[in-house]
């Protein structure tokens, strides 16, 4: 199973983190720091897999953003690499040519999409259609919920 | 896809994120964040109740701040509120906050549980999925206690939506992994297996992960899934690339599901049913065939997905390890990948081939790729790929290619990355020793290692070369000559000085005849390095000098002058000073004879174990290590001659001054002569070849002298003695024997090579036993292997009474037969006699050793000589319960190592048999086959008899 997934920028800014095993904040931060350093130091044509601590790390860079997964010893590296790609496709489809900024400003959506796709570190559904359908439905619910608000109200002036 | 509502949701959040992004400095960012935190805090605390929207917005801001790497210590209550809201978006944000910020230990869980419970029972599939996600995310025991019973129901309920089923399956998987005891097994499990047939591919995909985990824990109960998985796999593999619609990924049909199914099959042995097996083999062949077909797309996603399935297929073939044809095909396929332009594929091929190398069917096929792999080691630009290449070379090494591989690794070492140098050094050292036919090659290799990568040569490597040279007199002259030459290099590594100093001190005489290496030349060569060396090395050299005085009397004056110099006699380092003073005095006052005795050549090392076993031992814990140190520090006449450098840790006993000057040999068996160096394999204990090694003179003291071998015939053990003995192999207390008259209970404890046993003799009658006399005898060779000292017991045992007897046990060497206990007494005038086997077996002196997977495999491979391995395949005599098996293995004395064996069904253990004379490292592997109700047990130790005996003992237990 996947232990965690990180999205971070070339400058080493963490954009998304998802942990599938309980761990203390301190330990998480240490791991993030360490792993970002390792991955950012690697050159473009290098292999996408590396051994790190007792885990296997699979990563791929899309434009300015690194997608990085830690999996267990017996897990399949190539399928994990494609899992990253499928997630990127889902984001792309949802946001329409996704870029790092979309993920920064809509991090909660990025989480929701990931949750539809993976659960507990395992693939829940690999069909693009069913994942996106689920997200669309949620967005519809959101529309029903929300009555439009005025700008003034939003700024706390009303 | 329309951007339905991105960004429009919470303008305040977007503004805040922009602000942060516009901050010019870290300080400005922190300032802005602190301002926002203060604002949110006041809003949360404020009198005005916040509406759901504001709560949602602030909680999102907190999440964002958290993602920036700041700690968040409030907002949890608001999140719990949101989670209980009826509005979907509020609920969703509440759940998100909890899943990102809450750890399983949090006290909040109880609060959350309420909301989760409501959603789980809401029958609204979207809400149910959110709740299931939350449970899976937190995954704590508390959550498990609250929900583990409900989820199976949701999973198999006829009216559950597919999406809910998917979430329920993975949620259950998470809970089951975290606390299996909480998930009740029941009739749902049978229905779960049939989800493999579900029409909805998403449901199958999610369910397979759950089923795989269940199979690992209860292989017997889920056996039926094998044939279902095979038929599902076969349908996918043979489907056209468009059949599965959205589950086809870049023209590859359902790659995720295929990989998962192949993983599931790796929980089991090959199917026994011929039809199922035939179908499966067909699938595997189809996958291998497809790899040869031209790609359907040029996209890397296509080839990655296709190869993901291919690699998983190869894993399954390797797991079965029974189809030579498939194994060789797999090997050929990987061989093609070794030269692929994709780095990823080269990496994976090297990795996968490592496991193929250990299969007897494919070892030779792997070896044919040696040139490609060597080339990879030289030319790969990525260090992680080079590392894989080095691993593979190590795995494919055998006698036929050892010289080539070792020399390539040495060449690589010159330019290798610092990160992997030490590992390469260890590998070279191990291979050189393991496959050395000619020991001069071995010596050359190790000296080369020191020359090329001296800094990375760890102690055990250079200790080991000294052990081997000391124990093999055919290589000593060569070693002295080579090391002498190596030391002539103007700059040589300190490790070289250490090895050189030690070898010349022992065997310098063998090259002294040559004027180019005459004693004064040897001395001045060594002494020219002296001032550049560390204290430890200088201490070693001082010992070499005193040895020179003995070997070459003509150097005495020069050396005494060196020792006498102020820089030595008054050295600030106490160790150096002490050595200088002691050696100077020794050389001045001792007669030649005494000097010759004190400074005699080192005796062969009794435990000629490889560095792997030395490493094994080092893990034993601080207790053992400190005894070792004490032994070294023991002062005495020359007792510390080479104190700083003994390569072999002594067996832990304090050396007795008379028997053993250097503290290297255990005191008692002085009679055992070293075996002739040519006899037997290096790894076999010295003593085992010595038939003349008489019994040690362990004169028992009068009051303890109960042990009277041969005084009385012990009699023949009762027929059930063996069975009774086997009962105690894995446990230390219980009833050893019982009949109408007598009950014998036993309780014992063992530490290292010592043990204490309490025997309780209970008189079950109402009549007194007279002349009650239990004796312990040592049949056969046991006397020299095991000492059992018994305390006296009273001659009468009253009716209904119990007497206790204490036995002190010391294991001197490994032994095969247990001692016998004979109990004689008179009951109502009639003599009674009874002989049992005392439950003392070699495994009682077995100490567990923890180690990681890599270390285990390294050691496992090192013990690959046929005589080091003992294997048994046998029928299970007891139900195959994994907990019981674990308890037995632990009781046997071995450590249980998790995550070592790729097949989680198997058990892997390690430990050391501790005897006074030697320690034997043992590795074991137990492979249950639930279908056949069989086990395969494999033991590897450095000693043939130990492997065999442990294997026999343990095999009786299952």
């Amino acid at each position: 199973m996947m232990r965690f997934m990180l999205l971070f920028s070339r400058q080493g800014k963490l954009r998304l983190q998802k942990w599938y095993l309980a761990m203390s904040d301190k330990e998480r931060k240490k791991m993030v720091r360490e792993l970002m350093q390792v991955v950012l130091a690697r050159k473009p044509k290098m292999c996408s897999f590396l051994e790190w601590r007792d885990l296997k790390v699979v990563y791929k860079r899309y434009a300015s953003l690194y997608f990085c997964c830690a999996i267990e010893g017996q897990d399949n590296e190539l399928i994990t690499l494609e899992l990253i790609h499928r997630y990127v496709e889902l984001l792309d489809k949802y946001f329409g040519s996704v870029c790092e900024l979309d993920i920064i400003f809509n991090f909660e959506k990025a989480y929701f999409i990931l949750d539809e796709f993976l659960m507990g570190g395992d693939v829940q559904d690999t069909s693009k259609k069913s994942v996106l359908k689920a997200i669309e439905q949620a967005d519809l619910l959101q529309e029903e919920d929300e009555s439009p608000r005025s700008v003034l109200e939003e700024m706390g002036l009303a | 896809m329309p951007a339905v509502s991105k960004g429009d949701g919470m303008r305040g959040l977007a503004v805040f994120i922009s602000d942060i992004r516009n901050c010019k400095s870290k300080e400005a960012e922190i300032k802005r964040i602190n301002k926002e935190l203060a604002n949110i805090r006041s809003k949360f605390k404020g009198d005005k109740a916040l509406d759901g929207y504001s709560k949602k917005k602030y909680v999102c801001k907190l999440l964002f701040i958290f993602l920036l790497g700041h700690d968040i210590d409030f907002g949890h209550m608001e999140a719990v509120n949101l989670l209980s809201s009826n509005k979907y978006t509020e609920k969703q944000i509440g759940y998100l906050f909890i899943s990102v910020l809450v750890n399983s230990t949090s006290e909040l869980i109880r609060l959350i549980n309420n909301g989760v419970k409501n959603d789980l029972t809401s029958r609204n599939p979207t809400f149910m999925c959110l709740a299931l996600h939350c449970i899976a995310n937190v995954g704590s025991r508390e959550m498990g206690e609250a929900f583990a019973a409900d989820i199976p129901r949701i999973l198999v309920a006829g009216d559950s939506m597919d999406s809910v089923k998917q979430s329920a399956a993975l949620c259950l998987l998470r809970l089951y992994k975290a606390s299996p005891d909480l998930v009740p097994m029941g009739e749902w499990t049978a229905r779960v297996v049939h989800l493999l047939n579900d029409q909805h591919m998403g449901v199958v995909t999610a369910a397979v992960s759950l089923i795989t985990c269940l199979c690992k824990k209860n292989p017997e109960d889920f056996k039926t899934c094998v044939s279902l998985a095979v038929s599902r796999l076969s349908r996918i593999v043979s489907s056209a690339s468009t059949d599965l619609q959205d589950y086809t990924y870049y023209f590859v049909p359902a790659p995720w599901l295929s990989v998962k199914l192949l993983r599931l099959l790796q929980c089991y042995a090959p199917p026994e049913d011929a039809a199922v097996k035939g179908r499966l083999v067909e699938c595997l062949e189809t996958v291998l065939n497809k790899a040869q077909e031209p790609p359907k797309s040029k996209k890397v996603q296509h080839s990655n997905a296709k190869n993901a399935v291919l690699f998983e297929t190869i894993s399954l073939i390797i797991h079965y390890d029974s189809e030579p044809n498939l194994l060789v095909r797999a090997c050929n396929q990987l061989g093609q990948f070794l030269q692929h332009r994709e780095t990823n594929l080269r990496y994976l091929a090297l990795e996968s081939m490592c496991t193929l190398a250990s299969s007897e069917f494919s070892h030779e096929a792997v070896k044919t790729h040696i040139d490609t792999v060597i080339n990879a080691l030289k030319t790969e630009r990525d260090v992680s790929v080079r590392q894989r290449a080095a691993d593979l070379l190590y795995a494919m090494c055998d006698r036929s290619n050892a010289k080539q591989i070792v020399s390539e690794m040495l060449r690589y070492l010159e330019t290798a990355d610092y990160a992997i140098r030490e590992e390469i050094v260890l590998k070279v050292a191990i291979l050189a020793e393991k496959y050395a036919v000619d020991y001069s090659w071995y010596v050359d290799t190790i000296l080369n290692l020191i020359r090329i990568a001296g800094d990375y040569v760890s102690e055990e490597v250079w200790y080991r070369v000294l052990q081997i040279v000391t124990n093999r007199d055919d290589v000593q002259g060569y070693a002295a000559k080579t090391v002498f030459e190596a030391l002539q290099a103007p700059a040589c590594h300190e490790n070289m000085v250490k090895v050189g100093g030690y070898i010349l001190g022992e065997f310098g005489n063998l090259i002294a005849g040559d004027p180019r290496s005459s004693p004064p030349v040897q001395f001045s060569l060594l002494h020219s390095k002296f001032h550049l060396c560390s204290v430890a090395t200088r201490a070693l050299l001082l010992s070499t000098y005193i040895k020179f005085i003995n070997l070459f009397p003509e150097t005495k004056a020069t050396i005494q002058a060196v020792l006498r110099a102020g820089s030595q006699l008054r050295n600030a380092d106490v160790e150096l000073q002490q050595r200088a003073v002691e050696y100077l005095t020794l050389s001045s006052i001792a007669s030649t004879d005494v000097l010759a005795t004190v400074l005699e050549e080192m005796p062969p090392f009794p435990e000629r174990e490889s560095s792997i076993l030395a490493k094994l031992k080092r893990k034993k814990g601080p207790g053992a290590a400190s005894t070792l140190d004490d032994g070294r520090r023991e002062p005495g006449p020359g007792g510390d001659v080479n104190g700083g450098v003994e390569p072999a840790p002594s067996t832990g006993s304090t050396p007795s001054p008379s028997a053993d000057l250097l503290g290297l040999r255990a005191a008692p068996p002085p009679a055992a002569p070293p075996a002739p160096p040519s006899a037997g394999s290096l790894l076999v204990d010295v003593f085992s070849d010595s038939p003349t090694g008489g019994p040690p003179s362990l004169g028992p003291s009068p009051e303890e002298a109960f042990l009277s071998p041969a005084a009385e015939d012990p009699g023949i053990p009762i027929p059930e003695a063996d069975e009774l003995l086997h009962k105690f192999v894995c446990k230390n207390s219980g009833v050893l024997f019982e009949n109408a008259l007598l009950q014998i209970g036993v309780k014992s404890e063992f530490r290292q090579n010592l043990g204490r046993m309490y025997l309780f003799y209970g008189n079950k009658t109402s009549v007194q036993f007279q002349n009650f006399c239990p004796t312990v005898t040592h049949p056969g060779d046991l006397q020299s292997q095991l000492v059992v000292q018994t305390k006296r017991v009273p001659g009468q045992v009253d009716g209904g009474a119990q007497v206790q007897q204490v036995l002190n046990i010391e294991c001197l060497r490994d032994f095969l037969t247990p001692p016998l206990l004979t109990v004689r007494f008179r009951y109502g005038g009639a003599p009674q006699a009874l002989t049992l086997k005392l439950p003392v077996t070699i495994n009682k002196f077995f100490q567990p050793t923890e180690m990681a997977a890599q270390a285990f495999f390294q050691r496992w491979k090192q013990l690959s000589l046929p005589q080091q391995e003992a294997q048994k395949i046998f029928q299970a005599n007891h139900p195959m319960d994994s907990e019981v098996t674990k308890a037995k293995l632990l009781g046997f004395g071995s450590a249980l190592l998790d995550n070592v064996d790729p097949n989680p069904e198997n058990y892997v253990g390690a430990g050391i048999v501790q005897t006074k004379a030697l320690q034997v490292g043992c590795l074991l592997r137990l492979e249950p086959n639930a279908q056949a109700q069989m086990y395969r047990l494999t033991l590897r130790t450095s000693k043939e008899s130990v492997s065999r005996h442990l294997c026999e003992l343990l095999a009786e237990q299952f």
Side-chain angles (χ1 to χ4, degrees):
Chain A
M1 81 179 242
M2 189 185 292
R3 294 284 191 83
F4 59 85
M5 184 189 237
L6 304 176
L7 270 62
F8 51 86
S9 71
R10 247 168 57 196
Q11 291 76 31
K13 290 228 185 245
L14 189 60
R15 297 301 182 203
L16 205 75
Q17 49 174 325
K18 182 81 193 179
W19 300 81
Y20 293 106
L21 269 193
M23 217 181 296
S24 72
D25 279 347
K26 207 173 139 210
E27 179 68 4
R28 283 181 183 178
K29 277 189 184 165
K30 198 171 153 233
M31 290 174 87
V32 169
R33 218 175 25 241
E34 211 179 286
L35 187 56
M36 274 206 288
Q37 218 167 21
V38 173
V39 172
L40 289 173
R42 290 177 64 85
K43 298 193 185 78
K45 286 275 170 180
M46 282 188 170
C47 156
S48 311
F49 319 125
L50 47 121
E51 279 181 340
W52 181 74
R53 297 191 173 193
D54 58 336
L55 299 172
K56 297 200 278 198
V57 169
V58 178
Y59 73 93
K60 189 163 182 181
R61 189 178 138 185
Y62 288 86
S64 58
L65 207 56
Y66 282 90
F67 289 68
C68 178
C69 300
I71 54 175
E72 292 174 350
Q74 303 141 334
D75 290 335
N76 189 310
E77 290 100 336
L78 281 175
I79 207 74
T80 308
L81 199 57
E82 289 321 296
L83 186 140
I84 291 176
H85 187 76
R86 172 67 12 135
Y87 180 46
V88 173
E89 284 183 348
L90 289 166
L91 291 171
D92 195 65
K93 196 94 181 171
Y94 181 77
F95 289 109
S97 35
V98 67
C99 67
E100 193 185 337
L101 276 181
D102 290 316
I103 293 170
I104 295 173
F105 280 94
N106 302 284
F107 66 91
E108 79 280 13
K109 296 282 184 218
Y111 269 118
F112 297 150
I113 296 172
L114 185 60
D115 280 348
E116 283 299 331
F117 180 40
L118 289 182
M119 176 163 167
D122 249 301
V123 185
Q124 176 167 249
D125 203 327
T126 60
S127 154
K128 232 188 324 197
K129 272 187 204 144
S130 24
V131 173
L132 289 172
K133 207 172 90 193
I135 297 288
E136 261 173 76
Q137 274 175 348
D139 278 338
L140 286 173
L141 281 173
Q142 181 161 353
E143 291 226 306
E144 287 161 19
D145 277 358
E146 248 145 54
S147 49
R149 316 181 119 236
S150 78
V151 181
L152 286 180
E153 198 180 353
E154 179 65 41
M155 292 166 74
L157 297 173
Chain B
M1 168 99 197
V4 185
S5 61
K6 325 170 282 194
D8 61 349
M10 292 166 280
R11 219 165 273 121
L13 175 65
V15 170
F16 173 61
I17 295 176
S18 301
D19 280 2
I20 295 287
R21 287 183 53 77
N22 291 333
C23 284
K24 294 277 183 283
S25 66
K26 192 82 195 155
E27 290 72 35
E29 184 184 309
I30 291 173
K31 214 173 139 198
R32 179 71 185 85
I33 287 169
N34 285 335
K35 188 179 148 206
E36 193 62 41
L37 285 174
N39 173 39
I40 299 173
R41 227 183 278 259
S42 75
K43 291 280 197 253
F44 283 170
K45 278 201 193 129
D47 319 325
K48 219 172 73 186
L50 286 177
D51 61 14
Y53 171 80
S54 311
K55 251 188 232 161
K56 185 179 91 173
K57 182 178 72 184
Y58 292 130
V59 164
C60 267
K61 283 183 180 175
L62 286 180
L63 256 178
F64 184 76
I65 294 171
F66 176 79
L67 285 179
L68 289 174
H70 301 265
D71 293 325
I72 296 296
D73 53 5
F74 69 104
H76 300 78
M77 280 314 296
E78 285 71 19
V80 173
N81 275 333
L82 286 173
L83 181 154
S84 317
S85 157
N86 284 328
K87 287 192 177 167
Y88 178 73
T89 53
E90 288 171 15
K91 190 181 273 302
Q92 200 184 21
I93 296 291
Y95 272 118
L96 178 62
F97 185 89
I98 299 296
S99 77
V100 174
L101 267 112
V102 174
N103 256 319
S104 53
T105 48
S106 171
E107 289 173 13
L108 272 170
I109 291 181
R110 241 159 295 147
L111 293 172
I112 304 165
N113 276 0
N114 211 5
V116 173
K117 183 131 227 158
N118 287 336
D119 287 334
L120 210 52
T121 48
S122 69
R123 309 193 72 72
N124 172 337
T126 326
F127 286 12
M128 284 171 88
C129 285
L130 280 178
L132 288 166
H133 262 282
C134 180
I135 299 170
N137 241 312
V138 179
S140 69
R141 201 166 167 86
E142 255 182 327
M143 282 243 166
E145 279 163 2
F147 304 112
D150 301 330
I151 297 168
R153 237 190 342 264
I154 298 174
L155 174 61
V156 295
D159 57 349
S160 287
M161 301 258 298
D162 288 331
S163 62
V164 175
K165 278 192 198 164
Q166 284 168 270
S167 298
L170 292 175
C171 180
L172 194 54
L173 168 61
R174 178 74 167 79
L175 290 184
Y176 188 71
K177 272 186 186 164
S179 8
D181 54 308
L182 291 180
V183 179
M185 293 292 133
E187 64 85 52
W188 65 272
T189 53
R191 300 178 50 189
V192 160
V193 173
H194 284 278
L195 290 178
L196 284 170
N197 275 333
D198 203 283
Q199 291 200 318
H200 191 282
M201 292 283 276
V203 173
V204 193
T205 307
V208 180
S209 298
L210 173 65
I211 295 169
T212 306
C213 183
L214 290 169
C215 287
K216 279 182 192 165
K217 302 246 177 179
N218 335 274
E220 242 348 78
D221 301 346
F222 290 88
K223 241 164 49 179
T224 47
C225 70
V226 173
S227 61
L228 293 175
V230 169
S231 61
R232 188 90 208 197
L233 183 68
S234 147
R235 266 180 284 157
I236 296 172
V237 168
S238 57
S239 65
S241 52
T242 49
D243 286 358
L244 302 173
Q245 294 156 359
D246 209 27
Y247 289 89
T248 296
Y249 180 84
Y250 291 87
F251 304 102
V252 182
W256 278 274
L257 182 54
S258 307
V259 166
K260 281 185 177 193
L261 287 167
L262 288 160
R263 279 288 294 281
L264 169 60
L265 291 171
Q266 286 171 61
C267 297
Y268 290 94
E272 275 155 18
D273 181 328
V276 177
K277 186 168 179 190
R279 200 160 178 202
L280 177 57
V281 169
E282 209 173 285
C283 280
L284 303 179
E285 279 171 345
T286 311
V287 175
L288 288 170
N289 291 341
K290 276 192 183 172
Q292 297 302 325
E293 288 170 9
K296 293 198 174 68
S297 155
K298 283 208 172 86
K299 288 233 157 80
V300 68
Q301 282 76 26
H302 170 70
S303 72
N304 278 349
K306 190 169 150 186
N307 292 326
V309 178
L310 177 61
F311 274 105
E312 208 59 56
T313 301
I314 292 176
S315 292
L316 182 63
I317 293 172
I318 296 173
H319 166 80
Y320 286 162
D321 198 11
S322 60
E323 301 284 327
N325 171 35
L326 290 177
L327 281 161
V328 170
R329 280 192 68 185
C331 184
N332 294 340
Q333 181 60 53
L334 294 177
Q336 288 180 17
F337 284 154
L338 286 182
Q339 310 203 31
H340 203 278
R341 60 189 167 78
E342 278 275 328
T343 314
N344 288 345
L345 286 180
R346 294 198 303 275
Y347 176 96
L348 294 175
L350 288 166
E351 185 181 62
S352 193
M353 257 200 190
C354 266
T355 39
L356 268 182
S358 54
S359 163
E360 52 173 319
F361 300 116
S362 47
H363 184 78
E364 288 305 313
V366 170
K367 272 169 64 187
T368 59
H369 298 286
I370 184 166
D371 293 332
T372 320
V373 182
I374 287 173
N375 196 41
L377 189 64
K378 286 179 181 162
T379 56
E380 281 291 347
R381 273 189 278 170
D382 185 346
V383 55
S384 37
V385 185
R386 288 197 296 271
Q387 171 119 40
R388 287 287 88 85
D391 288 347
L392 178 53
L393 282 179
Y394 180 77
M396 68 163 73
C397 190
D398 62 17
R399 209 166 284 283
S400 72
N401 56 20
K403 285 203 171 174
Q404 187 189 4
I405 287 180
V406 164
S407 81
E408 289 298 343
M409 282 189 164
L410 274 175
R411 195 167 307 151
Y412 172 57
L413 198 53
E414 297 188 32
T415 53
D417 313 73
Y418 296 110
I420 63 171
R421 280 196 187 184
E422 182 170 5
E423 205 190 313
I424 302 264
V425 167
L426 272 177
K427 287 193 161 119
V428 170
I430 289 165
L431 293 178
E433 180 185 339
K434 194 167 164 188
Y435 298 115
V437 182
D438 134 28
Y439 279 85
S440 53
W441 174 70
Y442 169 74
V443 169
D444 285 342
T445 305
I446 302 296
L447 293 185
N448 267 329
L449 272 184
I450 297 176
R451 214 178 347 240
I452 297 168
D455 284 344
Y456 298 88
V457 172
S458 56
E459 286 183 343
E460 55 266 14
V461 173
W462 69 264
Y463 283 1
R464 186 73 191 141
V465 70
L466 297 182
Q467 286 183 27
I468 288 182
V469 169
T470 306
N471 287 6
R472 300 193 63 97
D473 56 11
D474 53 344
V475 76
Q476 288 161 355
Y478 180 80
K481 180 168 159 285
T482 323
V483 85
F484 177 80
E485 281 160 10
L487 283 173
Q488 285 179 324
C492 63
H493 195 273
E494 194 165 330
N495 279 338
M496 189 68 90
V497 179
K498 287 178 179 163
V499 173
Y502 191 98
I503 288 183
L504 292 180
E506 293 292 320
F507 310 114
N509 54 327
L510 299 177
I511 56 167
D514 187 330
R516 283 167 299 176
S517 52
S518 69
V521 177
Q522 286 186 37
F523 172 73
S524 55
L525 179 62
L526 281 177
H527 200 53
S528 68
K529 318 277 181 196
F530 187 88
H531 303 280
L532 302 168
C533 291
S534 67
V535 169
T537 308
R538 277 191 267 166
L540 184 151
L541 286 177
L542 288 180
S543 299
T544 302
Y545 297 170
I546 186 74
K547 290 215 152 197
F548 271 10
I549 292 186
N550 177 44
L551 286 180
F552 315 124
E554 66 266 39
T555 59
K556 182 169 172 177
T558 324
I559 291 174
Q560 280 185 329
V562 167
L563 293 175
R564 203 176 289 121
S567 56
Q568 309 305 339
L569 272 191
R570 282 186 292 282
N571 195 297
D573 184 87
V574 67
E575 179 72 37
L576 291 180
Q577 194 187 89
Q578 187 179 353
R579 285 191 189 213
V581 172
E582 284 181 3
Y583 294 166
L584 184 60
T585 318
L586 180 69
S587 69
S588 320
I589 61 170
S591 71
T592 327
D593 284 353
V594 171
L595 211 57
T597 314
V598 173
L599 301 171
E600 203 184 1
E601 187 180 307
M602 292 284 279
F605 291 91
E607 31 168 349
R608 293 189 287 185
E609 55 171 19
S610 142
S611 52
I612 51 153
L613 296 171
K615 270 196 167 171
L616 247 173
K617 250 195 294 186
R618 201 158 309 139
K619 293 178 164 254
K620 246 178 357 184
S626 63
T627 6
L628 193 69
D629 241 24
D630 293 342
R632 272 198 198 156
R633 290 275 151 249
E634 178 87 355
D640 204 13
V641 170
N642 259 340
V645 293
E646 282 93 304
S650 79
T651 43
S653 62
T654 318
S656 91
S658 59
D660 178 9
L661 281 175
L662 296 163
L664 280 171
R665 270 209 293 191
S678 53
S681 138
L682 251 185
L683 289 156
V684 175
D685 165 44
V686 204
F687 298 128
S688 59
D689 310 301
S690 79
T692 51
S697 52
L698 285 157
S701 64
E703 70 271 23
E704 289 177 344
F706 193 73
L707 193 142
S708 51
E712 256 182 311
D713 178 23
I716 299 161
I718 58 169
E720 60 270 36
D722 276 322
E723 194 187 318
L724 293 169
L725 179 75
H726 285 136
K727 254 173 58 185
F728 285 86
V729 166
C730 296
K731 65 175 186 175
N732 285 329
S733 58
V735 175
L736 179 62
F737 172 80
E738 186 160 15
N739 65 11
L741 306 178
L742 178 72
Q743 184 195 53
I744 306 176
V746 62
K747 197 170 173 215
S748 54
E749 54 188 17
F750 295 88
R751 245 192 77 228
Q752 305 209 359
N753 69 324
L754 302 175
R756 173 164 299 165
M757 179 176 283
Y758 299 88
L759 292 172
F760 304 92
Y761 303 98
N763 182 343
K764 289 172 70 181
T765 69
S766 51
V767 183
Q768 192 187 51
F769 292 164
Q770 287 170 326
N771 300 349
F772 187 78
C773 176
T775 46
V776 174
T777 46
H778 298 62
D781 293 335
L782 189 61
Q783 221 168 350
S784 58
Q785 296 161 339
L786 193 76
V787 180
V788 181
Q789 290 179 330
T790 50
K791 306 262 185 194
R792 270 182 211 288
V793 290
Q796 282 84 35
V797 185
D798 288 335
Q802 189 186 57
V803 294
Q804 178 188 336
Q805 184 179 31
V806 184
L807 282 67
N808 286 321
I809 304 162
E810 182 178 14
C811 178
L812 304 175
R813 295 177 31 200
D814 55 298
F815 61 96
L816 302 177
T817 48
L820 298 179
L821 171 72
T822 306
V823 185
R824 290 192 171 83
F825 59 95
R826 294 182 85 83
Y827 165 68
Q832 307 280 337
L834 166 78
T835 300
L836 298 168
K837 293 191 172 174
L838 205 59
V840 179
T841 41
I842 183 73
N843 68 294
K844 299 291 177 194
F845 306 98
F846 202 22
Q847 299 232 314
T849 309
E850 293 292 340
M851 65 179 82
Q854 202 190 0
F856 181 87
F857 285 121
Q858 201 172 37
R859 286 172 190 139
W860 182 264
K861 281 184 194 147
Q862 280 161 348
L863 293 171
S864 61
L865 295 178
Q867 67 266 30
Q868 291 170 338
E869 179 176 292
Q871 190 172 74
K872 252 193 145 123
I873 296 170
F874 54 91
Q875 198 76 38
N877 285 321
H878 302 279
M880 297 175 90
D881 179 315
S882 91
E883 290 310 310
V884 175
T885 307
K886 277 185 194 159
K888 281 185 178 162
L889 288 170
L890 290 171
F892 192 66
S894 136
L896 267 183
L897 308 177
D898 288 331
N899 303 324
V900 171
D901 203 297
N903 179 353
E905 290 314 299
N906 295 344
Y907 306 88
V908 165
I912 304 165
V913 172
Q914 305 264 359
T915 75
K916 189 163 187 176
L918 79 163
Q919 307 187 343
V920 184
C922 309
L923 304 174
L924 71 86
R925 182 178 191 214
L926 179 68
E927 300 158 272
N929 178 342
Q931 279 164 308
Q933 288 289 308
M934 302 275 283
Y935 286 98
R936 179 162 74 181
L937 174 66
T938 314
L939 256 295
R940 285 191 181 182
T941 79
S942 49
K943 204 168 163 179
E944 180 181 2
S945 56
V946 176
S947 299
R948 241 184 307 118
H949 187 49
L950 284 175
C951 188
E952 282 160 12
L953 281 176
L954 191 54
E956 289 295 328
Q957 300 300 314
F958 298 103

